[in-house]
Amino acid sequence: MTSNPRIVFAKRPAPHELPKIGEHLIFDESRTIDLENVPLNGGFLTKTLILSPEPAMRERMRDPSIPSYTTTFNVGGPILGFGVVVVLRSEKDGFKPGDYLYGLTVWEAYTVQPYIDGRVNFKAEEWSPGTFDMDSLALQVVPNPNGLYPLSKYTSIMGTPGLTAFVGMEGIIDGKEGETLFVSSGASAVGSMVIQLAKLKGMKVIASAGSDAKVEYMRSLGADLPFNYKKVSYAEFLKKHGPINKFWDNVGAEALDAALESITSYGKMAICGTSGTDATPPNEHYRLKNAYLIMKKCINIRGFIVPDLIPQFIGKFFETVPALMAQGKLRSEETEYDGIESAPQAFIDTLSSGHQKAGTLVVVVARD
Ligand SMILES: NC(=O)c1ccc[n+]([C@@H]2O[C@H](COP(=O)([O-])OP(=O)(O)OC[C@H]3O[C@@H](n4cnc5c(N)ncnc54)[C@H](OP(=O)(O)O)[C@@H]3O)[C@@H](O)[C@H]2O)c1
């Protein structure tokens, strides 16, 4: 028998509360698994290599009575999030031992993956228009990098953050040479890709983040005007360096309000995240002062979640992004946490603002 530790979701935090280790998130070492004989029931057995804590997982901790775009975690059940796994045994066509997979997986060392009978089809032309289906993010076979790039790239450039940035830039921002784009939370996994994709289009990039280390990281990625929003306000900075033509928003609140004021008529806004209010009780949320400008400036503002745009742009993503990464034109930094026991802390750090760790936070559960 082999030890099979996991991270259990023990209790729902209040909507604005950071989860706490030992109260909401528990490292459970009590279970074992027989890797040779555990029944697969038509599925496949995987070993977890990398876990990718992401802000959207906070949404999944909420009480199911609160409406949102994701399903919720079950109290007492394991955490589910993105990760890279390797197949050890399989009874399912299309999945063989040694395959590397990326997608949603249970946060435990070994998993008998359920037989996924849903649509796991990345062929956009076979999808009906407007398809919204989280199954598209289920485990997919991905190339084994064989040392060409670290597996952790599947949690940044080559994973959902990269995909989110790419599809939103293609489908909403549609950047043009000479335009100015402002991206809030520019040092986040998504934001750092947005900076680089905008620079590849010849745009001027203003980018905000909550620590000086992150400001330097954004500069190293090509941001022309990176700033620390804790030292200078969004409104003040954009007044000085605007106007902007396009806005990529990971934050909302003051960042969105300042962008509404700074953006030119017919400007475009991609609303991707709400980090600025995620840690605040709903009745204390910042209220926009400049929403009246949406009509006056004919601002094209669109909220989206990544599956909205996957059907249109997934093909182009795989044609473009791995090559740009291989050419060194797209890059990312990852900060590694060692061992599955560090996953709760990595998740909490992901949700926290202002730390000095640049780039995507990843948990390395096993090296191979
Ligand atoms: N729409 C979609 O389909 C989709 C898909 C993926 C991600 N997202 C969203 O995109 C955003 C970035 O995701 P990610 O995975 O790239 O994030 P990430 O790398 O985990 O970074 C999250 C960052 O949010 C910032 N933050 C936290 N509280 C903040 C506050 N009060 N004000 C401003 N910034 C704050 C922190 O940076 P600072 O230190 O700079 O404050 C933190 O490092 C998130 O809002 C996420 O929910 C949306």
Side-chain angles (χ1 to χ4, degrees):
M1 294 296 250
T2 305
S3 167
N4 193 12
R6 62 179 178 164
I7 310 300
V8 172
F9 181 55
K11 185 181 164 194
R12 296 190 195 287
H16 56 280
E17 190 187 5
L18 271 182
K20 293 187 194 70
I21 296 172
E23 183 180 352
H24 307 102
L25 303 170
I26 288 181
F27 176 54
D28 169 19
E29 285 183 283
S30 64
R31 297 174 326 135
T32 55
I33 185 168
D34 180 347
L35 296 176
E36 304 299 323
N37 302 305
V38 62
L40 302 184
N41 302 319
F44 51 100
L45 174 67
T46 60
K47 177 180 180 182
T48 304
L49 301 176
I50 302 267
L51 296 174
S52 175
E54 296 186 11
M57 292 166 62
R58 177 178 222 151
E59 207 64 25
R60 308 195 77 176
M61 297 190 299
R62 76 187 189 285
D63 188 277
S65 64
I66 303 170
S68 186
Y69 60 93
T70 59
T71 52
T72 52
F73 292 142
N74 291 323
V75 171
I79 292 283
L80 188 76
F82 285 94
V84 180
V85 301
V86 60
V87 178
L88 299 182
R89 294 167 44 213
S90 176
E91 292 174 355
K92 181 168 165 55
D93 287 347
F95 295 80
K96 58 180 191 318
D99 280 350
Y100 283 85
L101 312 176
Y102 168 74
L104 285 174
T105 190
V106 175
W107 278 23
E108 61 188 353
Y110 300 94
T111 309
V112 177
Q113 303 286 353
Y115 181 84
I116 301 164
D117 203 20
R119 186 168 45 68
V120 202
N121 180 355
F122 267 27
K123 290 184 192 142
E125 66 278 10
E126 292 176 19
W127 293 18
S128 57
T131 296
F132 169 87
D133 185 354
M134 287 289 180
D135 278 359
S136 57
L137 306 176
L139 286 168
Q140 307 282 322
V141 178
V142 290
N144 176 350
N146 283 317
L148 202 58
Y149 48 88
L151 265 185
S152 56
K153 295 295 170 200
Y154 285 119
T155 69
S156 55
I157 293 183
M158 299 270 282
T160 33
L163 190 57
T164 304
F166 186 84
V167 301
M169 288 296 281
E170 289 288 319
I172 302 174
I173 293 292
D174 189 24
K176 304 277 187 295
E177 191 165 357
E179 287 183 334
T180 300
L181 171 125
F182 168 42
V183 50
S184 59
S185 197
S188 66
V190 172
S192 55
M193 267 291 273
V194 169
I195 291 174
Q196 296 176 83
L197 292 169
K199 289 312 294 175
L200 287 170
K201 296 268 186 194
M203 302 175 89
K204 178 174 150 188
V205 177
I206 301 174
S208 62
S211 73
D212 290 343
K214 289 184 180 185
V215 168
E216 285 320 305
Y217 178 52
M218 296 190 296
R219 199 188 309 282
S220 78
L221 296 175
D224 302 277
L225 292 162
F227 71 100
N228 182 340
Y229 68 90
K230 295 186 175 168
K231 291 188 168 169
V232 49
S233 75
Y234 295 105
E236 205 181 318
F237 197 85
L238 291 185
K239 241 176 222 142
K240 190 164 173 197
H241 297 285
I244 59 172
N245 311 103
K246 304 279 167 77
F247 176 44
W248 181 288
D249 193 13
N250 291 316
V251 169
E254 286 98 334
L256 173 55
D257 228 1
L260 285 166
E261 194 170 26
S262 175
I263 201 161
T264 49
S265 292
Y266 293 94
K268 289 184 182 168
M269 296 187 162
I271 308 299
C272 174
T274 55
S275 301
T277 46
D278 289 346
T280 320
N283 60 349
E284 290 172 28
H285 279 181
Y286 176 89
R287 304 290 166 201
L288 293 177
K289 299 178 181 72
N290 294 320
Y292 73 100
L293 292 172
I294 296 172
M295 175 263 152
K296 285 192 188 296
K297 293 204 242 178
C298 307
I299 299 167
N300 190 338
I301 180 165
R302 175 165 173 195
F304 77 104
I305 56 169
V306 67
D308 293 344
L309 294 165
I310 282 181
Q312 270 170 282
F313 297 109
I314 188 76
K316 195 167 176 191
F317 174 82
F318 282 115
E319 277 162 24
T320 318
V321 167
L324 287 171
M325 189 174 76
Q327 293 160 18
K329 291 181 179 161
L330 282 178
R331 59 188 192 81
S332 64
E333 268 179 36
E334 291 83 33
T335 296
E336 291 186 358
Y337 289 66
D338 217 18
I340 192 166
E341 62 277 17
S342 67
Q345 189 59 53
F347 179 35
I348 291 165
D349 289 348
T350 293
L351 302 178
S352 308
S353 170
H355 55 69
Q356 302 296 316
K357 298 177 183 113
T360 312
L361 308 185
V362 287
V363 181
V364 179
V365 179
R367 297 272 166 196
D368 52 37

